Amino acid sequence: MNNELPATVKLVAVSKFHPFEAIEEAYDAGQRIFAESRPQELSAKVKRLEEIRLERGEPGYMSDIEWHFIGHLQTNKLKMVLPYVSLVQSVDSVRLLEAMNSWGAANGKVIDVLLEPHVAAEDTKQGFAPEEIYDILSRSAEFEFISFRGIMGMATFTEDEAVIEADFAGIRSIYDRVKRDFPLLSSRFAELSIGMSDDYPVAIRHGSTMVRIGSKIFGQRNY
Ligand SMILES: *Cc1c(COP(=O)(O)O)cnc(C)c1O
């Protein structure tokens, strides 16, 4: 999978609903970034890795694995997620951002985040209106324990490629506007996380820097 991607695009392997063994197998094949969407499942996998390290007597086993969180995160689940992840891709409310900032202050950790805009056609999805994103970034200094790294988005669930194109173009335009209107924002704001198994080629044409691939790596999920 990795050798199909341009060098500028990072591959995030979405391991949700797959056993730890599947992660080990992908790790052995060279994959390093894995993403989970449920707090419980993420912390269970982190614990499983700890157990394996003890069993093998190898504290450094898979030590360069990196976890991202990509699901809806409730403010009462922060401690199951934030100690373990290098990036929370799915920040979808100011309330969550404020809770994460407080957690960061209490635990001395600056948390890297992507902001998730709401895609027009999907009324049920959480996410920010574009104006809310610009508002947050205009007062980013208030969030001392948050490092804003970019935008994460999902296209409408459809086979209609024109709709997917339009969604990715819309998400990309939010990212571009931030880069244009917030020149003082850290240069670390540089990630556009768009593209999943079925639409990543379209996403790459729209400037994706990070694709989140589940089923194409691990096979179908059994929910
Ligand atoms: C599950 C999930 C993916 C991966 O989906 P696939 O279609 O299996 O590649 C990507 N992003 C998010 C936010 C997800 O929840």
Side-chain angles (χ1 to χ4, degrees):
M1 176 81 220
N2 228 336
N3 44 22
E4 285 177 38
L5 300 174
T8 51
V9 179
K10 289 182 269 297
L11 175 59
V12 176
V14 178
S15 47
K16 65 187 185 193
F17 296 91
H18 291 285
F20 192 80
E21 291 65 40
I23 294 176
E24 273 182 300
E25 203 176 302
Y27 181 93
D28 285 342
Q31 180 61 28
R32 289 296 178 268
I33 311 175
F34 294 85
E36 291 286 335
S37 62
R38 297 183 305 174
Q40 223 103 19
E41 185 172 349
L42 170 69
S43 61
K45 284 174 177 163
V46 169
K47 275 200 197 98
R48 180 72 197 118
L49 176 55
E50 285 301 322
E51 279 167 18
I52 293 173
R53 285 173 179 156
L54 282 175
E55 283 163 20
R56 296 168 69 115
E58 263 183 75
Y61 180 61
M62 289 173 82
S63 63
D64 59 351
I65 191 170
E66 220 184 288
W67 301 99
H68 289 185
F69 193 77
I70 58 168
H72 180 58
L73 182 54
Q74 289 172 293
T75 53
N76 61 352
K77 302 268 167 66
L78 298 186
K79 65 177 184 301
M80 299 172 81
V81 171
L82 299 186
Y84 312 117
V85 296
S86 61
L87 183 65
V88 178
Q89 296 206 10
S90 45
V91 172
D92 56 6
S93 75
V94 172
R95 209 170 90 85
L96 173 60
L97 206 50
E98 285 169 351
M100 287 171 62
N101 190 57
S102 301
W103 188 95
N107 293 275
K109 180 177 179 179
V110 174
I111 302 145
D112 283 12
V113 306
L114 306 183
L115 300 176
E116 182 180 3
H118 163 99
V119 172
E122 307 256 303
D123 281 342
T124 55
K125 288 257 166 70
Q126 274 107 3
F128 292 111
E131 294 306 325
E132 290 180 286
I133 290 180
Y134 309 137
D135 176 62
I136 290 165
L137 295 175
S138 69
R139 54 193 184 88
S140 59
E142 289 172 31
F143 300 100
E144 230 184 310
F145 288 86
I146 301 289
S147 177
F148 295 96
R149 303 292 313 278
I151 300 288
M152 182 273 241
M154 263 188 281
T156 308
F157 187 69
T158 175
E159 310 229 304
D160 185 343
E161 195 154 311
V163 173
I164 296 171
E165 293 269 0
D167 287 345
F168 285 153
I171 297 162
R172 166 72 186 271
S173 71
I174 297 170
Y175 175 82
D176 286 344
R177 183 164 158 193
V178 170
K179 294 298 272 182
R180 191 192 68 210
D181 289 355
F182 298 89
L184 296 182
L185 201 64
S186 153
S187 60
R188 298 186 82 221
F189 190 99
E191 301 292 354
L192 181 60
S193 173
I194 51 175
M196 309 180 12
S197 293
D198 292 335
D199 58 20
Y200 72 92
V202 185
I204 290 170
R205 288 205 299 279
H206 285 274
S208 176
T209 65
M210 192 180 267
V211 291
R212 311 177 309 272
I213 308 292
S215 45
K216 191 163 191 283
I217 295 175
F218 296 109
Q220 288 305 317
R221 289 178 287 274
N222 297 311
Y223 287 104

PDB file of all heavy atoms in Angstrom, residues 14 16-17 37 70-71 89-90 116 152-154 195-198 211-217 219-221 223, ligand 1:
ATOM      1  N   VAL A  14      -5.827   2.134   9.601  1.00  0.00           N
ATOM      2  CA  VAL A  14      -6.973   2.162  10.518  1.00  0.00           C
ATOM      3  C   VAL A  14      -7.282   0.727  10.965  1.00  0.00           C
ATOM      4  O   VAL A  14      -7.840  -0.064  10.220  1.00  0.00           O
ATOM      5  CB  VAL A  14      -8.196   2.820   9.846  1.00  0.00           C
ATOM      6  CG1 VAL A  14      -9.392   2.798  10.795  1.00  0.00           C
ATOM      7  CG2 VAL A  14      -7.866   4.250   9.433  1.00  0.00           C
ATOM      8  N   LYS A  16      -9.104  -0.326  13.614  1.00  0.00           N
ATOM      9  CA  LYS A  16     -10.324  -0.533  14.423  1.00  0.00           C
ATOM     10  C   LYS A  16     -11.012  -1.840  14.031  1.00  0.00           C
ATOM     11  O   LYS A  16     -11.072  -2.181  12.854  1.00  0.00           O
ATOM     12  CB  LYS A  16     -11.283   0.645  14.235  1.00  0.00           C
ATOM     13  CG  LYS A  16     -11.822   0.772  12.826  1.00  0.00           C
ATOM     14  CD  LYS A  16     -12.630   2.053  12.658  1.00  0.00           C
ATOM     15  CE  LYS A  16     -13.260   2.087  11.262  1.00  0.00           C
ATOM     16  NZ  LYS A  16     -13.794   3.392  10.900  1.00  0.00           N
ATOM     17  N   PHE A  17     -11.520  -2.547  15.033  1.00  0.00           N
ATOM     18  CA  PHE A  17     -12.242  -3.816  14.851  1.00  0.00           C
ATOM     19  C   PHE A  17     -11.363  -4.967  14.379  1.00  0.00           C
ATOM     20  O   PHE A  17     -11.864  -6.036  14.069  1.00  0.00           O
ATOM     21  CB  PHE A  17     -13.450  -3.663  13.905  1.00  0.00           C
ATOM     22  CG  PHE A  17     -14.518  -2.753  14.440  1.00  0.00           C
ATOM     23  CD1 PHE A  17     -14.508  -1.398  14.150  1.00  0.00           C
ATOM     24  CD2 PHE A  17     -15.530  -3.251  15.259  1.00  0.00           C
ATOM     25  CE1 PHE A  17     -15.484  -0.546  14.649  1.00  0.00           C
ATOM     26  CE2 PHE A  17     -16.509  -2.403  15.759  1.00  0.00           C
ATOM     27  CZ  PHE A  17     -16.490  -1.058  15.460  1.00  0.00           C
ATOM     28  N   SER A  37     -10.740   4.236  16.535  1.00  0.00           N
ATOM     29  CA  SER A  37     -11.858   5.177  16.612  1.00  0.00           C
ATOM     30  C   SER A  37     -12.674   5.043  17.894  1.00  0.00           C
ATOM     31  O   SER A  37     -13.605   5.813  18.096  1.00  0.00           O
ATOM     32  CB  SER A  37     -12.782   4.998  15.410  1.00  0.00           C
ATOM     33  OG  SER A  37     -13.316   3.702  15.413  1.00  0.00           O
ATOM     34  N   ILE A  70      -9.218   8.691  15.728  1.00  0.00           N
ATOM     35  CA  ILE A  70      -9.995   9.226  14.599  1.00  0.00           C
ATOM     36  C   ILE A  70     -11.504   9.155  14.817  1.00  0.00           C
ATOM     37  O   ILE A  70     -12.270   9.393  13.872  1.00  0.00           O
ATOM     38  CB  ILE A  70      -9.646   8.488  13.279  1.00  0.00           C
ATOM     39  CG1 ILE A  70      -9.916   6.980  13.404  1.00  0.00           C
ATOM     40  CG2 ILE A  70      -8.212   8.744  12.873  1.00  0.00           C
ATOM     41  CD1 ILE A  70      -9.866   6.250  12.072  1.00  0.00           C
ATOM     42  N   GLY A  71     -11.940   8.827  16.040  1.00  0.00           N
ATOM     43  CA  GLY A  71     -13.384   8.688  16.269  1.00  0.00           C
ATOM     44  C   GLY A  71     -13.941   9.829  17.106  1.00  0.00           C
ATOM     45  O   GLY A  71     -13.217  10.736  17.519  1.00  0.00           O
ATOM     46  N   GLN A  89      -7.190  13.245  15.471  1.00  0.00           N
ATOM     47  CA  GLN A  89      -7.570  13.785  14.158  1.00  0.00           C
ATOM     48  C   GLN A  89      -8.991  14.322  14.119  1.00  0.00           C
ATOM     49  O   GLN A  89      -9.361  15.022  13.191  1.00  0.00           O
ATOM     50  CB  GLN A  89      -7.464  12.684  13.092  1.00  0.00           C
ATOM     51  CG  GLN A  89      -6.080  12.156  12.866  1.00  0.00           C
ATOM     52  CD  GLN A  89      -5.919  11.586  11.452  1.00  0.00           C
ATOM     53  OE1 GLN A  89      -6.773  11.752  10.594  1.00  0.00           O
ATOM     54  NE2 GLN A  89      -4.805  10.904  11.226  1.00  0.00           N
ATOM     55  N   SER A  90      -9.792  13.934  15.122  1.00  0.00           N
ATOM     56  CA  SER A  90     -11.241  14.097  14.998  1.00  0.00           C
ATOM     57  C   SER A  90     -11.809  15.073  16.028  1.00  0.00           C
ATOM     58  O   SER A  90     -12.800  14.777  16.672  1.00  0.00           O
ATOM     59  CB  SER A  90     -11.888  12.729  15.169  1.00  0.00           C
ATOM     60  OG  SER A  90     -11.286  12.046  16.281  1.00  0.00           O
ATOM     61  N   GLU A 116     -11.993  18.899  12.560  1.00  0.00           N
ATOM     62  CA  GLU A 116     -12.828  18.179  11.592  1.00  0.00           C
ATOM     63  C   GLU A 116     -14.039  19.014  11.177  1.00  0.00           C
ATOM     64  O   GLU A 116     -14.940  19.223  11.981  1.00  0.00           O
ATOM     65  CB  GLU A 116     -13.298  16.861  12.207  1.00  0.00           C
ATOM     66  CG  GLU A 116     -14.125  16.037  11.239  1.00  0.00           C
ATOM     67  CD  GLU A 116     -14.609  14.703  11.808  1.00  0.00           C
ATOM     68  OE1 GLU A 116     -14.356  14.408  13.000  1.00  0.00           O
ATOM     69  OE2 GLU A 116     -15.261  13.973  11.038  1.00  0.00           O
ATOM     70  N   MET A 152      -8.931  17.507   9.230  1.00  0.00           N
ATOM     71  CA  MET A 152      -9.301  16.139   8.849  1.00  0.00           C
ATOM     72  C   MET A 152     -10.717  16.140   8.318  1.00  0.00           C
ATOM     73  O   MET A 152     -11.586  16.816   8.878  1.00  0.00           O
ATOM     74  CB  MET A 152      -9.216  15.228  10.076  1.00  0.00           C
ATOM     75  CG  MET A 152      -9.527  13.773   9.807  1.00  0.00           C
ATOM     76  SD  MET A 152     -11.265  13.292   9.895  1.00  0.00           S
ATOM     77  CE  MET A 152     -11.186  12.095  11.208  1.00  0.00           C
ATOM     78  N   GLY A 153     -10.946  15.445   7.233  1.00  0.00           N
ATOM     79  CA  GLY A 153     -12.307  15.420   6.709  1.00  0.00           C
ATOM     80  C   GLY A 153     -12.685  14.101   6.068  1.00  0.00           C
ATOM     81  O   GLY A 153     -11.823  13.309   5.681  1.00  0.00           O
ATOM     82  N   MET A 154     -13.988  13.899   6.006  1.00  0.00           N
ATOM     83  CA  MET A 154     -14.546  12.717   5.357  1.00  0.00           C
ATOM     84  C   MET A 154     -15.517  13.174   4.289  1.00  0.00           C
ATOM     85  O   MET A 154     -16.288  14.103   4.507  1.00  0.00           O
ATOM     86  CB  MET A 154     -15.320  11.894   6.384  1.00  0.00           C
ATOM     87  CG  MET A 154     -14.512  10.756   6.949  1.00  0.00           C
ATOM     88  SD  MET A 154     -15.526   9.694   7.980  1.00  0.00           S
ATOM     89  CE  MET A 154     -15.594  10.623   9.480  1.00  0.00           C
ATOM     90  N   GLY A 195      -9.135  11.040   2.676  1.00  0.00           N
ATOM     91  CA  GLY A 195      -8.956   9.826   1.878  1.00  0.00           C
ATOM     92  C   GLY A 195      -9.031   8.570   2.714  1.00  0.00           C
ATOM     93  O   GLY A 195      -8.352   8.454   3.731  1.00  0.00           O
ATOM     94  N   MET A 196      -9.913   7.667   2.316  1.00  0.00           N
ATOM     95  CA  MET A 196     -10.080   6.360   2.944  1.00  0.00           C
ATOM     96  C   MET A 196      -9.953   5.296   1.842  1.00  0.00           C
ATOM     97  O   MET A 196      -9.649   5.641   0.700  1.00  0.00           O
ATOM     98  CB  MET A 196     -11.447   6.286   3.650  1.00  0.00           C
ATOM     99  CG  MET A 196     -11.636   7.467   4.553  1.00  0.00           C
ATOM    100  SD  MET A 196     -13.166   7.673   5.528  1.00  0.00           S
ATOM    101  CE  MET A 196     -14.055   6.179   5.445  1.00  0.00           C
ATOM    102  N   SER A 197     -10.186   4.031   2.177  1.00  0.00           N
ATOM    103  CA  SER A 197      -9.944   2.951   1.194  1.00  0.00           C
ATOM    104  C   SER A 197     -10.589   3.217  -0.170  1.00  0.00           C
ATOM    105  O   SER A 197      -9.978   2.975  -1.205  1.00  0.00           O
ATOM    106  CB  SER A 197     -10.459   1.622   1.750  1.00  0.00           C
ATOM    107  OG  SER A 197      -9.682   1.231   2.853  1.00  0.00           O
ATOM    108  N   ASP A 198     -11.828   3.696  -0.157  1.00  0.00           N
ATOM    109  CA  ASP A 198     -12.555   3.809  -1.424  1.00  0.00           C
ATOM    110  C   ASP A 198     -12.362   5.124  -2.150  1.00  0.00           C
ATOM    111  O   ASP A 198     -12.763   5.246  -3.307  1.00  0.00           O
ATOM    112  CB  ASP A 198     -14.065   3.600  -1.187  1.00  0.00           C
ATOM    113  CG  ASP A 198     -14.365   2.168  -0.797  1.00  0.00           C
ATOM    114  OD1 ASP A 198     -13.561   1.272  -1.163  1.00  0.00           O
ATOM    115  OD2 ASP A 198     -15.383   1.938  -0.117  1.00  0.00           O
ATOM    116  N   VAL A 211      -3.526   9.808   4.416  1.00  0.00           N
ATOM    117  CA  VAL A 211      -4.718   9.019   4.119  1.00  0.00           C
ATOM    118  C   VAL A 211      -4.954   8.014   5.244  1.00  0.00           C
ATOM    119  O   VAL A 211      -4.005   7.529   5.860  1.00  0.00           O
ATOM    120  CB  VAL A 211      -4.618   8.298   2.750  1.00  0.00           C
ATOM    121  CG1 VAL A 211      -4.656   9.306   1.610  1.00  0.00           C
ATOM    122  CG2 VAL A 211      -3.373   7.421   2.663  1.00  0.00           C
ATOM    123  N   ARG A 212      -6.205   7.747   5.532  1.00  0.00           N
ATOM    124  CA  ARG A 212      -6.578   6.835   6.620  1.00  0.00           C
ATOM    125  C   ARG A 212      -7.220   5.594   6.006  1.00  0.00           C
ATOM    126  O   ARG A 212      -8.356   5.623   5.560  1.00  0.00           O
ATOM    127  CB  ARG A 212      -7.572   7.518   7.565  1.00  0.00           C
ATOM    128  CG  ARG A 212      -7.135   8.925   8.012  1.00  0.00           C
ATOM    129  CD  ARG A 212      -8.208   9.570   8.882  1.00  0.00           C
ATOM    130  NE  ARG A 212      -9.515   9.521   8.262  1.00  0.00           N
ATOM    131  CZ  ARG A 212      -9.987  10.451   7.429  1.00  0.00           C
ATOM    132  NH1 ARG A 212      -9.276  11.533   7.141  1.00  0.00           N
ATOM    133  NH2 ARG A 212     -11.180  10.323   6.896  1.00  0.00           N
ATOM    134  N   ILE A 213      -6.433   4.509   5.976  1.00  0.00           N
ATOM    135  CA  ILE A 213      -6.858   3.336   5.216  1.00  0.00           C
ATOM    136  C   ILE A 213      -7.099   2.154   6.151  1.00  0.00           C
ATOM    137  O   ILE A 213      -6.199   1.724   6.875  1.00  0.00           O
ATOM    138  CB  ILE A 213      -5.777   2.945   4.168  1.00  0.00           C
ATOM    139  CG1 ILE A 213      -5.398   4.148   3.304  1.00  0.00           C
ATOM    140  CG2 ILE A 213      -6.258   1.771   3.326  1.00  0.00           C
ATOM    141  CD1 ILE A 213      -6.466   4.652   2.370  1.00  0.00           C
ATOM    142  N   GLY A 214      -8.319   1.634   6.138  1.00  0.00           N
ATOM    143  CA  GLY A 214      -8.660   0.468   6.956  1.00  0.00           C
ATOM    144  C   GLY A 214      -8.817  -0.775   6.120  1.00  0.00           C
ATOM    145  O   GLY A 214      -7.907  -1.606   6.004  1.00  0.00           O
ATOM    146  N   SER A 215      -9.970  -0.923   5.482  1.00  0.00           N
ATOM    147  CA  SER A 215     -10.300  -2.190   4.825  1.00  0.00           C
ATOM    148  C   SER A 215      -9.329  -2.582   3.715  1.00  0.00           C
ATOM    149  O   SER A 215      -9.095  -3.762   3.488  1.00  0.00           O
ATOM    150  CB  SER A 215     -11.743  -2.162   4.315  1.00  0.00           C
ATOM    151  OG  SER A 215     -12.012  -0.953   3.671  1.00  0.00           O
ATOM    152  N   LYS A 216      -8.732  -1.618   3.055  1.00  0.00           N
ATOM    153  CA  LYS A 216      -7.816  -1.982   1.969  1.00  0.00           C
ATOM    154  C   LYS A 216      -6.537  -2.634   2.516  1.00  0.00           C
ATOM    155  O   LYS A 216      -5.867  -3.375   1.802  1.00  0.00           O
ATOM    156  CB  LYS A 216      -7.466  -0.753   1.119  1.00  0.00           C
ATOM    157  CG  LYS A 216      -6.742  -1.092  -0.164  1.00  0.00           C
ATOM    158  CD  LYS A 216      -6.771   0.042  -1.161  1.00  0.00           C
ATOM    159  CE  LYS A 216      -6.277  -0.412  -2.525  1.00  0.00           C
ATOM    160  NZ  LYS A 216      -4.821  -0.529  -2.609  1.00  0.00           N
ATOM    161  N   ILE A 217      -6.212  -2.378   3.772  1.00  0.00           N
ATOM    162  CA  ILE A 217      -5.050  -3.021   4.388  1.00  0.00           C
ATOM    163  C   ILE A 217      -5.459  -4.293   5.125  1.00  0.00           C
ATOM    164  O   ILE A 217      -4.837  -5.339   4.983  1.00  0.00           O
ATOM    165  CB  ILE A 217      -4.360  -2.064   5.392  1.00  0.00           C
ATOM    166  CG1 ILE A 217      -3.780  -0.860   4.663  1.00  0.00           C
ATOM    167  CG2 ILE A 217      -3.270  -2.800   6.183  1.00  0.00           C
ATOM    168  CD1 ILE A 217      -3.180   0.200   5.592  1.00  0.00           C
ATOM    169  N   GLY A 219      -8.665  -5.819   5.334  1.00  0.00           N
ATOM    170  CA  GLY A 219      -9.863  -6.556   4.921  1.00  0.00           C
ATOM    171  C   GLY A 219     -11.101  -5.959   5.571  1.00  0.00           C
ATOM    172  O   GLY A 219     -11.016  -5.019   6.346  1.00  0.00           O
ATOM    173  N   GLN A 220     -12.238  -6.542   5.256  1.00  0.00           N
ATOM    174  CA  GLN A 220     -13.501  -6.014   5.769  1.00  0.00           C
ATOM    175  C   GLN A 220     -13.544  -6.134   7.293  1.00  0.00           C
ATOM    176  O   GLN A 220     -12.995  -7.060   7.865  1.00  0.00           O
ATOM    177  CB  GLN A 220     -14.697  -6.772   5.170  1.00  0.00           C
ATOM    178  CG  GLN A 220     -14.948  -6.449   3.707  1.00  0.00           C
ATOM    179  CD  GLN A 220     -15.114  -4.952   3.443  1.00  0.00           C
ATOM    180  OE1 GLN A 220     -15.793  -4.260   4.202  1.00  0.00           O
ATOM    181  NE2 GLN A 220     -14.479  -4.435   2.391  1.00  0.00           N
ATOM    182  N   ARG A 221     -14.224  -5.181   7.934  1.00  0.00           N
ATOM    183  CA  ARG A 221     -14.410  -5.238   9.396  1.00  0.00           C
ATOM    184  C   ARG A 221     -15.670  -6.005   9.723  1.00  0.00           C
ATOM    185  O   ARG A 221     -16.658  -5.901   9.012  1.00  0.00           O
ATOM    186  CB  ARG A 221     -14.549  -3.828   9.974  1.00  0.00           C
ATOM    187  CG  ARG A 221     -13.277  -3.029   9.954  1.00  0.00           C
ATOM    188  CD  ARG A 221     -13.508  -1.635  10.500  1.00  0.00           C
ATOM    189  NE  ARG A 221     -14.252  -0.786   9.588  1.00  0.00           N
ATOM    190  CZ  ARG A 221     -13.697  -0.068   8.613  1.00  0.00           C
ATOM    191  NH1 ARG A 221     -12.404  -0.113   8.414  1.00  0.00           N
ATOM    192  NH2 ARG A 221     -14.449   0.688   7.833  1.00  0.00           N
ATOM    193  N   TYR A 223     -18.392  -5.824  12.304  1.00  0.00           N
ATOM    194  CA  TYR A 223     -18.903  -4.972  13.380  1.00  0.00           C
ATOM    195  C   TYR A 223     -19.702  -5.799  14.370  1.00  0.00           C
ATOM    196  O   TYR A 223     -20.330  -6.775  14.015  1.00  0.00           O
ATOM    197  CB  TYR A 223     -19.789  -3.860  12.806  1.00  0.00           C
ATOM    198  CG  TYR A 223     -18.988  -2.797  12.096  1.00  0.00           C
ATOM    199  CD1 TYR A 223     -18.949  -2.750  10.711  1.00  0.00           C
ATOM    200  CD2 TYR A 223     -18.275  -1.854  12.823  1.00  0.00           C
ATOM    201  CE1 TYR A 223     -18.216  -1.770  10.064  1.00  0.00           C
ATOM    202  CE2 TYR A 223     -17.536  -0.878  12.165  1.00  0.00           C
ATOM    203  CZ  TYR A 223     -17.512  -0.831  10.802  1.00  0.00           C
ATOM    204  OH  TYR A 223     -16.791   0.122  10.164  1.00  0.00           O
TER     205      TYR A 223
HETATM  206  C1  LIG B   1     -13.023   3.626   9.700  1.00  0.00           C
HETATM  207  C2  LIG B   1     -12.457   4.926   9.313  1.00  0.00           C
HETATM  208  C3  LIG B   1     -11.536   5.022   8.241  1.00  0.00           C
HETATM  209  C4  LIG B   1     -11.092   3.849   7.388  1.00  0.00           C
HETATM  210  O1  LIG B   1     -12.118   3.410   6.548  1.00  0.00           O
HETATM  211  P1  LIG B   1     -11.849   2.370   5.359  1.00  0.00           P
HETATM  212  O2  LIG B   1     -12.969   2.613   4.413  1.00  0.00           O
HETATM  213  O3  LIG B   1     -11.887   1.011   5.960  1.00  0.00           O
HETATM  214  O4  LIG B   1     -10.523   2.662   4.759  1.00  0.00           O
HETATM  215  C5  LIG B   1     -10.998   6.276   7.973  1.00  0.00           C
HETATM  216  N1  LIG B   1     -11.345   7.366   8.683  1.00  0.00           N
HETATM  217  C6  LIG B   1     -12.235   7.317   9.698  1.00  0.00           C
HETATM  218  C7  LIG B   1     -12.556   8.556  10.445  1.00  0.00           C
HETATM  219  C8  LIG B   1     -12.823   6.091  10.035  1.00  0.00           C
HETATM  220  O5  LIG B   1     -13.696   6.060  11.050  1.00  0.00           O
END
